[in-house]
Amino acid sequence: MVTTLRITTRNARFQQLGTLLTNRTKRGRAGEFLVQGVRPISMAVEHGWTVRTLLYDAEARLSDWAQGLLRSTGAELVAMAPALLAELAEKQDGTVELLAVVEMPPDDLSRVAAGPSFLGVVFDRPTQPGNIGAIARSADAFGAQALITTGHAADAYDPRSVRASTGSLFAVPVVRSPSHREVMTWVQAQRDAGLPLVVVATDEHGDLDAADHDLTAPTLLLTGNETAGLSRAWLDAADVVVRIPMAGSASSLNASNAAAIVLYEAHRQRAAAGRPG
């Protein structure tokens, strides 16, 4: 285990690391993002993501978990003053022993593997990074194989999204696509290859309840922007539009909650049919 750098002041390298927290453009140019927490970092390693740098507390006695990572990942090792490490982790109490700088994968729809049991989610124009992470977590929990964000959207690699996913970002491919057009080109390619992929939109004015539609076929679920819902283009592209029946005075659900409900319904139907995915 060889430490290649020590950071004890807010020097140029520290400033560069800080931009990974706050500056989406610079995060994208660098092609890397910050990850904190035992489970998220462990899942990144387990699922084969490239860890470029490990930042650790230069003054603490590190856990066996942290020491194992420092020895085994092959990443650049940077010892940091604890207060600076806590600042990068956005932790007020200062209890951080390790942060990882992880390489972003390409935003390429070829990362989405579609098959007979395919279940994927499109999140159209999300504005809240936390909702992206929350949907990634639900997708992972209910057996979906991909999450795609489309349009002018919040960043899946924003620290708020990464934290909200609790590591599921590394288990479920999350791909950012410029618009519905690229995704529908991918959908058509799957259909041309013989996969009967069904595009299912969710909207409060849907034609039928989600529970009344067969979600056991290969399915791409569409969830809309937190305020405006799905774009007209996505509603037109959908094969069917389903709704979530509600009681009470609420007029709508949070986007991540709505996605979780329909993902659960798909999982329930598939389990009942003996095809859990």
Side-chain angles (χ1 to χ4, degrees), residues 52-107:
R52 290 182 174 176
T53 306
L54 289 172
L55 314 168
Y56 68 94
D57 188 331
E59 299 177 13
R61 178 182 173 85
L62 299 179
S63 66
D64 290 345
W65 166 78
Q67 291 185 53
L69 285 176
L70 294 179
R71 288 192 299 266
S72 65
T73 61
E76 175 194 28
L77 306 183
V78 177
M80 295 193 70
L84 298 180
L85 189 64
E87 187 175 327
L88 289 179
E90 300 180 302
K91 289 279 191 179
Q92 298 299 320
D93 59 11
T95 55
V96 182
E97 66 171 353
L98 193 70
L99 285 178
V101 179
V102 177
E103 182 179 309
M104 291 180 189
D107 283 312

Side-chain angles (χ1 to χ4, degrees), residues 171-273:
V172 176
V174 179
V175 179
R176 300 169 294 184
S177 182
S179 74
H180 71 287
R181 288 182 288 272
E182 294 80 6
V183 181
M184 287 307 299
T185 297
W186 175 85
V187 168
Q188 189 57 52
Q190 308 311 308
R191 291 170 173 171
D192 291 345
L195 185 71
L197 184 55
V198 183
V199 178
V200 179
T202 56
D203 185 82
E204 61 184 292
H205 304 297
D207 303 318
L208 73 166
D209 290 351
D212 294 329
H213 176 69
D214 181 6
L215 294 169
T216 64
T219 300
L220 185 64
L221 296 172
L222 310 179
T223 296
N225 170 274
E226 294 91 339
T227 302
L230 282 166
S231 68
R232 184 74 255 169
W234 265 127
L235 288 170
D236 290 343
D239 300 303
V240 62
V241 182
V242 302
R243 59 180 178 262
I244 299 170
M246 293 187 296
S249 59
S251 62
S252 62
L253 292 169
N254 172 275
S256 64
N257 292 339
I261 289 169
V262 182
L263 281 165
Y264 169 76
E265 176 58 27
H267 175 73
R268 185 196 67 79
Q269 290 185 21
R270 292 165 180 227

